Amino acid sequence: MAVSWRSWLANEGVKHLCLLIWLSLNVLLFWKTFLLYNQGPEYHYLHEMLGCPTETKATFGVHLKIVGDWTERFRDLLLPPSSQDSEILPFIQSRNYPKLYIDGPGSPFEESLNYEVSLCVAGGIGVTPFASILNTLLDDWKPYKLRRLYFIWVCRDIQSFRWFADLLCVLYNKFWQENRPDYVNIQLYLSQTDGIQKIIGEKYQALNSRLFIGRPRWKLLFDEIAKCNRGKTVGVFCCGPNSISKTLHKLSNRNNSYGTRFEYNKESFS
């Protein structure tokens, strides 16, 4: 015997309505969680700013930028209130730190050491995957095929360069002292500014001389690299906004009159 819709609604409608609401809330919760861990700015800053150790250094550096409630709570778990303005995490034996789990297959930028010439381009926070490469060269560059590194870093504000200013200065001075000034070519670009600025500190003088105002002129840069490395294969590595990535990819596929070949590699930025 057929059951009328009014009878079904009276007996089963409320149950199914509650089930529909419950499913909708779960879908909404899943979607918000997905956005947090894949597109959320707070997780993004933590995810992008992990510094990998090298073969000779077991230290795993975490650079954390406080941008909201989530990262503020994470900071509170790590730092006592008296030292939250410090840039370096203090070691306190009496404090129970949370256990951190690290996962990941590594970075494609490790291949930059396997080219004779490499062009590494970072956009803002995208510099962090290159930290282990720079540290590796600082330890010992001779075992690797790499003999010339072009390192381009684009940031919106001057303070961002201080994240790895010390590392860049030490690396720059190292190759000058070893009479290899052409090994690393550092170019820093400040894309947004109201005037000429400098990285504060006398020890950063070497970087101040490599600091440019505005955005890189990518086509001219590629032409210069092709001209200085005729007939060679240049590895191009990028971690930055999609606009930079697309430009580099397009220029890497462009033919040049010097017989220089560019091979493009990319790490996901967002």
Side-chain angles (χ1 to χ4, degrees), residues 63-208:
H63 300 261
L64 180 64
K65 185 172 183 179
I66 309 302
V67 294
D69 295 342
W70 191 90
T71 45
E72 285 179 356
R73 289 196 297 270
F74 187 75
R75 175 199 60 190
D76 293 340
L77 288 173
L78 299 177
L79 293 174
S82 59
S83 61
Q84 289 187 358
D85 293 332
S86 174
E87 295 182 357
I88 301 177
L89 179 67
F91 179 75
I92 305 174
Q93 286 185 327
S94 60
R95 187 173 179 84
N96 293 323
Y97 291 111
K99 183 179 295 185
L100 301 180
Y101 295 90
I102 307 300
D103 188 17
S107 171
F109 297 145
E110 295 173 3
E111 290 298 316
S112 63
L113 299 172
N114 296 327
Y115 288 89
E116 185 177 349
V117 182
S118 286
L119 168 62
C120 295
V121 178
I125 201 173
V127 70
T128 51
F130 296 108
S132 60
I133 302 301
L134 299 178
N135 273 307
T136 297
L137 296 177
L138 188 60
D139 291 342
D140 187 9
W141 57 272
K142 296 178 182 178
Y144 303 100
K145 185 178 179 180
L146 184 65
R147 288 299 176 264
R148 180 171 295 173
L149 172 66
Y150 295 89
F151 182 76
I152 315 298
W153 188 8
V154 185
C155 288
R156 293 182 178 179
D157 59 274
I158 194 71
Q159 294 301 322
S160 297
F161 291 120
R162 301 198 67 180
W163 292 338
F164 295 104
D166 290 327
L167 173 59
L168 291 174
C169 280
V170 173
L171 188 66
Y172 182 87
N173 293 329
K174 169 188 172 67
F175 287 112
W176 269 90
Q177 292 172 3
E178 296 183 6
N179 198 27
R180 293 297 306 269
D182 59 337
Y183 189 99
V184 57
N185 185 324
I186 300 173
Q187 298 182 29
L188 309 178
Y189 289 87
L190 187 60
S191 61
Q192 295 183 6
T193 179
D194 296 328
I196 298 177
Q197 300 185 42
K198 292 184 177 181
I199 305 175
I200 300 174
E202 184 65 27
K203 63 180 179 179
Y204 300 134
Q205 187 60 39
L207 293 186
N208 286 327

Side-chain angles (χ1 to χ4, degrees), residues 21-33:
I21 294 174
W22 180 81
L23 289 173
S24 300
L25 290 175
N26 275 273
V27 170
L28 179 62
L29 179 61
F30 170 81
W31 180 246
K32 285 190 172 184
T33 304

Side-chain angles (χ1 to χ4, degrees), residues 3-15:
V3 180
S4 67
W5 71 270
R6 289 188 178 88
S7 177
W8 176 88
L9 183 62
N11 296 305
E12 303 290 339
V14 175
K15 182 190 300 183

